[in-house]
Amino acid sequence: MVKITDVARNAGVSPSTVSYALSGKRPISEETRRRVEAAVRELGYRPHASARALAGSRSNVLALVIPLRTGIHVPVVTQFAVSVVTAARRYDHDVLLLTQEEGEDGLRRVADTALVDALIVMDVQLHDPRLPLLRSLDRPSVLIGFPREAAGLTCVDLDFRAAGELCVERLAGLGHRVVALVGSPPEVYVRGTAFAQRVVQGFTAAADRCGLASRVHPCEATPAAARRVAERLLREQPALTGVVVHNEAVLEPLIDAFEQLGLRVPGDLSITAICPDETAAALRVPVTSVALPSAELGERAVDLLLRKLTGAEVPEATLLTPHLTNRASTAPRDAP
Amino acid sequence: MVKITDVARNAGVSPSTVSYALSGKRPISEETRRRVEAAVRELGYRPHASARALAGSRSNVLALVIPLRTGIHVPVVTQFAVSVVTAARRYDHDVLLLTQEEGEDGLRRVADTALVDALIVMDVQLHDPRLPLLRSLDRPSVLIGFPREAAGLTCVDLDFRAAGELCVERLAGLGHRVVALVGSPPEVYVRGTAFAQRVVQGFTAAADRCGLASRVHPCEATPAAARRVAERLLREQPALTGVVVHNEAVLEPLIDAFEQLGLRVPGDLSITAICPDETAAALRVPVTSVALPSAELGERAVDLLLRKLTGAEVPEATLLTPHLTNRASTAPRDAP
DNA sequence: GCGGGACGTCGAAGCGCTTCGATGGAGGAA
DNA sequence: TTCCTCCATCGAAGCGCTTCGACGTCCCGC
C-alpha cells in the first residue's frame, strides 16, 4: 500500500504539505502542488479511508435506511437509493445501506461508532419511533416523508396533499362530478404512513372545494382486490366518472376490471394516478399521472444533508411541487 | 464520545485489557471480563469504527455493486440487496452500496482506500470488463452470475441452465410436443448476460432431448411487445401448446394476449416461467414457475465472502439447484 | 538598510484502537 | 524453599492521516 509518506518522499516535501496540497486547506505554491500531483499519479496513491476518517473525524459516508414493508412500492425505493448514491458520489461521499429491520439500534450504532457522518431515513411514519433518537443524535439527518411532529427535523417529500388536489382538479376541470380515490392498502393507513393520509386529505379537500361527490377506498395490492373495489365503486357510486388511484400495484388490474365491467377508459371513466412516470406510461392505457419524483427526492435529500454537514442552516420542510402529465386515461365527461 | 480509555478507567484495567476482553483474542479472567462488560454497558461504549479499522486493518464493511440496466428486474435486485445486508449484519459487517455506473473505478476506489474488506458484484456479464480488475485486487470478491472465464473467481448463481431444462421437462412430462421460450429483451442477449443465455441453452437442450419442436423469442419488457410475440408464436408454431417465459415483466401481458387470441391458460396453452415466486403467485393466473431465489443468493454470497476473509478456501462455482412450483398455468395436453 | 507581513513549508502531536512483547504473581514440581 | 511455568494483565508502539503552531524566506515600505 502506498501512503502519504511515500508521496511526500517522491515529491521531496513533507507529509503535511502533501495533505495540504491535496485538500487545499492551506495555500501551496503552484510548483509544489504540481510535484505532489505528479507523485500521486505516479505512485497511484489513494488515501486510506479509515486513517483519514480517524484524523479528520469525518468518514464521508452517509447512511441510507430503506423500508422493507408491504405496501411500499419497490421500484420507487430502488430508484431512490440509486439517486442517493449517485448524488452522494458527486460530493465525494459513499452510502451505507441499512434496512429498517435493524431499527433504532441500527441508527444508533452507525452514528455512535462514527461509521457515518449523517443519515437519510425513508418511509417515515406519522408517529415514528425513531424521531426522538434522530433528534438526539449528534449527526444530521434528513427524513423522506413528514411525521406529525417534525419540529427540529429536516424533511423532504413530494407535496402529496397538493398531488391529491391536482388529480381531483384535473378531473373536475374535465367536467366530472362524481369521483373516487382508490388508495393504498388498509395497513398503510393503519400504521399512519403520512403520505397516504395526505393524499386523502388533498383529495377530499379538493373534491369538497369543487363541489364533487367523493369517496375513498383503500385497496390491497392484488388484482382480486382491485376487482372487488371496482365492483364496489360502481355499486355505491353509479354516477361515477372519475377515479384517482394512489396504488401503483393495482393500476393495471383496476383498469382491466373497469373495462370488464363494461366501462371504457377514458370513454366512460377518467383515471388519474399518483405513481412513477414509468409505471404510468407503460400501462396498456397510459395513465394521466402525478409523478413520484424519487430521483429528485434522493438528490434533494443528499443536497440538504451535505449543507447541514457544512454547518449551514436548511429549511425544516421541503415539499416538492407535484406535476401532472396528461396521458390517455382522461377525457372530458360526456354532456349529460 | 466515550472511548476505550474511559472504559478502562471505569473498570480499573488498561485499555489493552478492555480490547482483549471484548475481542476474546487473549484469555481474560472471568472476573475482569465482567467488570469490563459492566463498564461498557454503564458508559454506553461503542468502539470508533475508523479507529478500529485503522488499527486492525479490517473495516468490517462489504461493497455491494448493484446494476442499473434495463432488462434487469428491479424487485429481484432489491430483495437481493436486502438479504445481503441482513446476512452481513449477522457477521457484524455493514454494506456499502455502489452503482454499476461507477464502474471499475468505483471498485478500485473502495478497495484501494480500504473502505471495504471485500466485494459482491451483481449482474456479471459473460465478458465482463471488471473481471481482470477483480482478480488483481487484494480483496476477495464474489460474483453473482457466471462469466465465460471464471477461473480464479468465486461465482454464485441459480443454475439457469437447469432451470430452463426443468421448465421444458415439466411441459414434456405433461405431454406437450411443441414449445417456445419467451426470453429477455434482445439487448440482454446482445450484451452477453450469462444467465439469459444459459436459460436458452437449457431450454434448447432439454427440448431436443425430449424430442420437442422448439423456438426461442426474445421479448421487450412492454405489453405491446408481449402482444406481438404472442401473435408471432401462434403464426409460426400453430401447434404450440407449451410456453416457457423468462421475462417477469411480460408474464401478465403475455397471458392476456394469449387469451385475447382465443387460447385459454392452461386449457389450450401451458405456461412455465422463471421468475420470483411472489410474481408468479400474484398473477391473475398463478404460474407454475422456477423461483429466482434472490434472498438465498445474497446469503450464499455473504457466507462465501466471509469465509474467504478468514482465509478459508471456497469453491469457485456455486450453482443453486432450481425448484419448480406447480401452479395453475400448466395442465396435461389434450389428447390429439 | 532594516523591520514587519505574507506566504509556503515543516515537525510533531494526536485521532481511538489493536497488538506485540514484557511483566508480575500464583501455583506446581523438585 | 527454590525454580520454572503459565496465566492474566500492562505499556508502548504504531496504523495513516490531519491539523496546529512554528519557522524560515522573500518582499515591501519607510
Side-chain angles (χ1 to χ4, degrees):
Chain A
M1 155 164 228
V2 29
K3 30 196 180 180
I4 200 171
T5 50
D6 300 325
V7 176
R9 195 175 324 112
N10 183 297
V13 296
S14 76
S16 54
T17 300
V18 173
S19 179
Y20 287 125
L22 294 179
S23 74
K25 294 193 178 170
R26 279 200 186 176
I28 294 289
S29 70
E30 191 57 24
E31 148 76 5
T32 304
R33 221 205 24 252
R34 250 197 294 276
R35 280 218 313 285
V36 169
E37 281 163 3
V40 165
R41 266 194 305 277
E42 184 186 336
L43 304 179
Y45 169 69
R46 300 276 201 168
H48 189 289
S50 306
R52 187 207 273 271
L54 179 57
S57 50
R58 292 284 249 91
S59 70
N60 277 29
V61 176
L62 310 179
L64 172 62
V65 187
I66 62 168
L68 293 172
R69 326 274 211 66
T70 57
I72 304 286
H73 198 56
V74 176
V76 172
V77 174
T78 308
Q79 198 187 342
F80 181 81
V82 167
S83 75
V84 165
V85 173
T86 307
R89 288 301 306 140
R90 281 203 287 272
Y91 292 102
D92 200 31
H93 279 243
D94 276 285
V95 174
L96 199 81
L97 192 62
L98 300 179
T99 63
Q100 216 156 62
E101 196 184 24
E102 274 210 79
E104 303 168 59
D105 289 346
L107 295 181
R108 206 193 312 270
R109 181 175 62 81
V110 295
D112 286 355
T113 61
L115 232 190
V116 305
D117 295 332
L119 307 97
I120 297 176
V121 179
M122 290 188 72
D123 188 31
V124 173
Q125 311 294 111
L126 276 175
H127 298 281
D128 201 296
R130 298 168 293 186
L131 301 184
L133 173 62
L134 288 172
R135 285 203 186 81
S136 73
L137 288 181
D138 53 341
R139 270 141 231 278
S141 53
V142 168
L143 315 192
I144 309 303
F146 279 82
R148 181 78 73 199
E149 197 43 76
L153 297 167
T154 305
C155 304
V156 188
D157 210 347
L158 175 66
D159 189 338
F160 276 99
R161 193 178 207 287
E165 292 176 345
L166 202 50
C167 285
V168 171
E169 286 161 2
R170 170 56 47 100
L171 293 174
L174 288 168
H176 300 280
R177 315 306 306 159
V178 180
V179 298
L181 170 68
V182 176
S184 302
E187 70 263 28
V188 172
Y189 297 98
V190 169
R191 69 173 183 243
T193 300
F195 73 90
Q197 304 205 354
R198 293 229 161 67
V199 170
V200 173
Q201 289 165 11
F203 170 85
T204 308
D208 291 353
R209 196 169 55 237
C210 300
L212 312 186
S214 73
R215 301 190 73 125
V216 175
H217 297 266
C219 180
E220 296 293 346
T222 67
R227 171 85 193 195
R228 282 195 301 276
V229 167
E231 288 167 354
R232 186 147 158 240
L233 283 178
L234 300 194
R235 196 170 351 104
E236 298 184 359
Q237 299 173 278
L240 181 77
T241 62
V243 176
V244 177
V245 181
H246 181 213
N247 185 330
E248 292 88 342
V250 300
L251 209 35
E252 177 102 54
L254 200 60
I255 295 177
D256 290 348
F258 282 132
E259 302 214 323
Q260 280 165 28
L261 292 169
L263 294 176
R264 311 297 304 180
V265 176
D268 304 312
L269 204 61
S270 282
I271 294 183
T272 59
I274 302 174
C275 69
D277 265 342
E278 311 88 80
T279 306
L283 292 174
R284 189 164 47 74
V285 181
V287 166
T288 296
S289 74
V290 169
L292 227 136
S294 38
E296 190 187 348
L297 229 41
E299 284 179 36
R300 290 294 273 273
V302 171
D303 289 347
L304 286 167
L305 210 42
L306 273 120
R307 284 173 53 201
K308 287 179 92 170
L309 278 173
T310 67
E313 284 295 313
V314 304
E316 290 202 338
T318 301
L319 283 174
L320 302 190
T321 307
H323 295 287
L324 189 140
T325 304
N326 263 322
R327 295 200 183 81
S329 68
T330 39
R333 186 178 65 134
D334 296 340
Chain B
M1 154 165 229
V2 27
K3 31 195 178 180
I4 201 171
T5 50
D6 300 326
V7 176
R9 194 175 324 114
N10 184 297
V13 296
S14 76
S16 54
T17 300
V18 174
S19 179
Y20 287 124
L22 295 179
S23 72
K25 294 192 179 172
R26 278 198 187 178
I28 293 289
S29 71
E30 191 57 26
E31 149 74 5
T32 304
R33 220 203 29 249
R34 249 197 296 277
R35 280 218 314 285
V36 169
E37 280 163 3
V40 165
R41 267 195 305 279
E42 184 186 336
L43 304 179
Y45 169 68
R46 299 276 201 169
H48 188 288
S50 306
R52 187 207 273 269
L54 180 58
S57 51
R58 293 283 250 93
S59 69
N60 277 29
V61 175
L62 310 178
L64 172 63
V65 187
I66 62 168
L68 293 172
R69 326 272 212 67
T70 56
I72 305 286
H73 199 56
V74 176
V76 172
V77 174
T78 309
Q79 198 187 341
F80 180 82
V82 167
S83 76
V84 166
V85 172
T86 307
R89 288 303 306 141
R90 280 203 289 271
Y91 292 102
D92 201 32
H93 279 244
D94 277 286
V95 174
L96 199 80
L97 191 63
L98 300 179
T99 64
Q100 219 157 59
E101 197 184 24
E102 274 210 80
E104 303 168 58
D105 289 346
L107 296 181
R108 204 193 312 270
R109 181 176 61 82
V110 295
D112 287 354
T113 60
L115 231 189
V116 305
D117 295 333
L119 306 98
I120 297 176
V121 179
M122 292 188 71
D123 189 30
V124 173
Q125 310 296 111
L126 276 176
H127 298 280
D128 202 295
R130 299 168 292 188
L131 300 185
L133 173 63
L134 288 171
R135 285 201 187 82
S136 74
L137 288 180
D138 54 339
R139 271 141 230 280
S141 52
V142 168
L143 315 193
I144 309 304
F146 279 83
R148 181 78 74 198
E149 198 42 77
L153 296 167
T154 306
C155 303
V156 189
D157 210 346
L158 175 65
D159 189 338
F160 276 99
R161 192 176 206 289
E165 292 176 346
L166 202 50
C167 285
V168 171
E169 286 160 3
R170 172 55 48 100
L171 293 174
L174 289 168
H176 301 280
R177 314 307 303 161
V178 181
V179 299
L181 169 68
V182 176
S184 303
E187 70 264 28
V188 172
Y189 297 96
V190 169
R191 70 175 183 242
T193 300
F195 73 89
Q197 305 206 352
R198 293 230 162 67
V199 170
V200 173
Q201 288 164 11
F203 170 84
T204 307
D208 291 353
R209 196 168 55 238
C210 299
L212 312 187
S214 73
R215 299 190 73 125
V216 175
H217 296 266
C219 181
E220 296 292 346
T222 67
R227 171 83 193 198
R228 281 196 302 276
V229 166
E231 288 167 356
R232 185 144 158 245
L233 283 178
L234 300 194
R235 194 168 354 102
E236 299 184 358
Q237 299 173 279
L240 182 78
T241 61
V243 176
V244 177
V245 181
H246 181 213
N247 185 329
E248 292 88 343
V250 300
L251 210 35
E252 177 102 56
L254 200 62
I255 296 176
D256 290 349
F258 282 132
E259 303 215 322
Q260 280 166 27
L261 292 169
L263 295 176
R264 310 298 304 179
V265 175
D268 305 310
L269 204 60
S270 281
I271 294 182
T272 59
I274 303 173
C275 67
D277 265 343
E278 310 88 77
T279 306
L283 293 174
R284 187 164 48 74
V285 181
V287 166
T288 295
S289 73
V290 169
L292 226 135
S294 38
E296 191 187 348
L297 230 40
E299 282 179 37
R300 290 293 271 274
V302 171
D303 289 348
L304 287 167
L305 210 42
L306 274 121
R307 284 174 52 202
K308 288 179 91 170
L309 279 173
T310 66
E313 283 296 313
V314 304
E316 289 203 337
T318 302
L319 282 175
L320 303 189
T321 306
H323 295 287
L324 188 140
T325 304
N326 263 323
R327 296 203 182 80
S329 68
T330 39
R333 186 178 66 132
D334 296 342

